Amino acid sequence: MIKPVAYFKPDSLAEAVEALQNENARPIAGGTDLIINMRNGTENPGLLVDVKGLDELDVFSANGKSGITIGARVNLNFLIDDAKLRNICPVLGESALSVATYQLRNRATLIGNLCNASPAADMAPAMYVLGAGVVITGPHGERKMLISDFITGVKRTALGKGELVVKVEIPEIPDGKMAFLKKQRCRGHDLATVNVAGIADPAAKTLKICIGACAVTPVLLKGTDELYRETDNVDELADRAAELARKSIAPIDDVRSSAEYRRDMASVYVKRLIRKICS
Amino acid sequence: MKEYSKIVDIRVKVNGAEYRESVPANMTLLHFLREHLMLTGTKEGCGIGECGACTIVLNGKPVTSCTILAAEVDGSEIHTIEGEAKNYQLTDLQQAFIEHHGEQCGFCTPGFIMSAQSLLDRNPNPSREEIVEAVSGNLCRCTGYEPIIEAIEAVARKKS
Ligand code: FES
Ligand code: FES
């Protein structure tokens, strides 16, 4: 059973921030992680601040040149269904489609997935390769930071007391191919054993690859632009990127996989990803 | 600091009927439907968003009612399995489930009907893949899924 809890649905961001100052207050958007955690007793907030009434969080715009803005109320099915987004940044919809089920995606939000900060979060790798930033509001005003600075550890973020993520901002989308791949034990309900996202711009010779579920936070590979410039051969590039991946991650043994298997799968999935986006 | 209440007043429309209720904030929408409104057609399987037995349609979209709090749905419109058949007349989809043996123990059926009906409402002529995807969040321990998919397909083909 869920323990007794207070509930408040503010009409303004200021009211939300004020309510979030309370000891043990938690924002709730989709609630698909939070409510289950409350049921298990792993999280016991005293006050739920329902942010679904806030207009500032209900924003969405997608434009290749000026980038993409996604508010905290936007759910995952929206990212899958939006035709414009599918066109300019398909990796978001691909990542979202791998999350849970149709029913849960009607509630679950992109920003909830990021704030939950699971090392296996399926929306995170795409955010890293796209260089997304999060816009945070709180008692001391607004601040922005890169996703890689926002996610600080297992289930840990840089959010301070009373702060709330309002939206994510993705800068100009590079021309080129992008993809998300996920290794899971069974399709649909399982979390990722390994997930990878990548984006390659052949004209600018930039290559970004991020691996999830293989360290305390997603790992954005360093030095991939240089690799991309050094070789035009896709097989060689795949092998070298896979080697780089092996060295950059720090997987653990858990219920879903051994560390050794994760390391192997990270290497296999990085190769598959490179073949998909670099050829 | 402001005081915040553990009891929330909500106003919802369920299968066309208006309700104004006071609910504890820790009550799930599933328990609200089953224990407050006595609409026990919606089932609780896992209680953690994995089986789809508790699927209802909230503001036009299928969702798992066990992962939502009743407090969150103030002002919403809800459809449950009880609202499907009208005047003892089953819907085409319900009839097709019977004809294709889409149910055995029946525990998963209300959830499947809500997911599938919602698919047919937004896409009257879905492909087999789209059907499978739409009900992939609904688990069935009895039928092996094939008769369920066939039942949904039969309705889709009849409409088109
Ligand atoms: S009871 Fe809600 S998904 Fe299983
Ligand atoms: S008919 Fe028994 S679970 Fe589906």
Side-chain angles (χ1 to χ4, degrees):
Chain A
M1 280 312 282
I2 298 174
K3 295 214 178 83
V5 62
Y7 171 91
F8 174 56
K9 188 171 185 180
D11 296 318
S12 74
L13 210 45
E15 268 185 318
V17 169
E18 191 202 322
L20 286 168
Q21 307 294 307
N22 277 273
E23 210 44 63
N24 229 347
R26 280 288 313 260
I28 179 168
T32 51
D33 279 309
L34 180 59
I35 292 172
I36 293 166
N37 290 344
M38 287 168 69
R39 185 185 153 113
N40 299 337
T42 50
E43 282 191 83
N44 293 298
L47 170 65
L48 295 176
V49 181
D50 189 342
V51 297
K52 288 190 286 297
L54 304 175
D55 292 340
E56 292 89 339
L57 277 55
D58 196 19
V59 289
F60 176 81
S61 66
N63 182 309
K65 283 284 164 257
S66 52
I68 299 172
T69 301
I70 303 169
R73 276 173 65 179
V74 175
N75 70 42
L76 295 181
N77 276 342
F78 182 91
L79 300 181
I80 296 167
D81 293 340
D82 190 78
K84 197 157 180 206
L85 188 65
R86 201 177 320 140
N87 209 6
I88 64 171
C89 193
V91 71
L92 291 181
E94 277 175 39
S95 305
L97 194 57
S98 83
V99 177
T101 65
Y102 185 76
Q103 293 100 306
L104 286 171
R105 292 195 302 266
N106 273 333
R107 299 291 288 182
T109 62
L110 163 67
I111 287 174
N113 189 246
L114 301 176
C115 288
N116 195 40
S118 158
D122 289 314
M123 299 309 295
M127 293 290 126
Y128 279 68
V129 296
L130 291 164
V134 295
V135 178
I136 297 169
T137 196
H140 310 299
E142 192 172 283
R143 58 189 185 122
K144 292 184 188 185
M145 63 175 76
L146 270 178
I147 183 70
S148 48
D149 295 324
F150 178 71
I151 297 179
T152 55
V154 178
K155 304 257 166 192
R156 294 171 79 111
T157 67
L159 267 191
K161 193 168 154 61
E163 286 190 319
L164 181 71
V165 177
V166 176
K167 57 191 170 191
V168 298
E169 290 176 345
I170 296 167
E172 182 180 344
I173 309 298
D175 284 323
K177 287 194 204 164
M178 53 181 91
F180 170 82
L181 299 174
K182 174 170 171 177
K183 168 71 188 167
Q184 55 194 146
R185 293 169 304 177
C186 61
R187 194 177 156 269
H189 292 46
D190 198 16
L191 302 183
T193 304
V194 172
N195 54 21
V196 293
I199 178 160
D201 182 341
K205 279 282 174 193
T206 57
L207 172 65
K208 305 288 174 219
I209 294 173
C210 181
I211 304 168
C214 285
V216 289
T217 68
V219 175
L220 183 64
L221 295 186
K222 290 198 184 82
T224 44
D225 289 345
E226 289 73 9
L227 276 187
Y228 198 25
R229 277 177 210 135
E230 278 165 29
T231 176
D232 274 334
N233 182 306
V234 177
D235 290 329
E236 190 191 332
L237 183 60
D239 286 345
R240 291 181 65 186
E243 198 41 46
L244 181 63
R246 277 183 170 275
K247 287 196 202 119
S248 309
I249 58 178
I252 55 162
D253 295 313
D254 70 7
V255 286
R256 275 185 289 285
S257 151
S258 66
E260 192 190 349
Y261 183 69
R262 273 208 173 87
R263 213 178 273 282
D264 285 348
M265 286 303 112
S267 152
V268 167
Y269 274 72
V270 165
K271 284 186 197 169
R272 286 188 192 169
L273 181 73
I274 295 276
R275 293 207 178 92
K276 221 172 158 181
I277 62 177
C278 296
S279 45
Chain B
M1 279 259 157
K2 236 163 111 178
E3 275 294 314
Y4 298 99
S5 177
K6 292 191 171 71
I7 304 289
V8 184
D9 293 329
I10 61 168
R11 194 172 155 177
V12 287
K13 214 180 204 179
V14 182
N15 303 327
E18 288 259 11
Y19 296 89
R20 281 163 181 273
E21 305 279 329
S22 285
V23 295
N26 62 339
M27 178 180 259
T28 63
L29 176 55
L30 173 61
H31 285 194
F32 171 71
L33 293 169
R34 288 182 56 84
E35 277 138 49
H36 229 82
L37 303 187
M38 298 298 161
L39 296 171
T40 54
T42 305
K43 304 302 182 200
E44 175 160 22
C46 63
I48 53 170
E50 295 194 345
C51 74
C54 66
T55 302
I56 54 119
V57 175
L58 176 65
N59 299 325
K61 300 200 163 145
V63 293
T64 48
S65 58
C66 69
T67 59
I68 297 172
L69 299 172
E72 292 179 86
V73 302
D74 179 35
S76 300
E77 209 169 316
I78 291 166
H79 288 277
T80 70
I81 188 69
E82 285 87 350
E84 289 302 290
K86 303 222 163 55
N87 302 322
Y88 301 99
Q89 188 69 47
L90 296 180
T91 63
D92 291 349
L93 185 61
Q94 287 174 315
Q95 195 59 47
F97 263 64
I98 295 172
E99 280 158 20
H100 291 264
H101 303 287
E103 59 187 87
Q104 285 181 30
C105 78
F107 197 81
C108 69
T109 315
F112 267 101
I113 297 276
M114 299 318 284
S115 283
Q117 188 60 56
S118 161
L119 168 69
L120 293 168
D121 291 345
R122 62 182 186 269
N123 175 7
N125 194 13
S127 65
R128 194 178 166 90
E129 288 70 45
E130 286 169 326
I131 294 173
V132 170
E133 181 58 39
V135 297
S136 64
N138 293 82
L139 302 185
C140 174
R141 296 297 283 163
C142 304
T143 64
Y145 300 100
E146 207 52 36
I148 294 177
I149 309 294
E150 278 166 17
I152 303 166
E153 253 187 331
V155 179
R157 298 299 96 89
K158 201 153 82 186
K159 273 195 187 141
S160 62

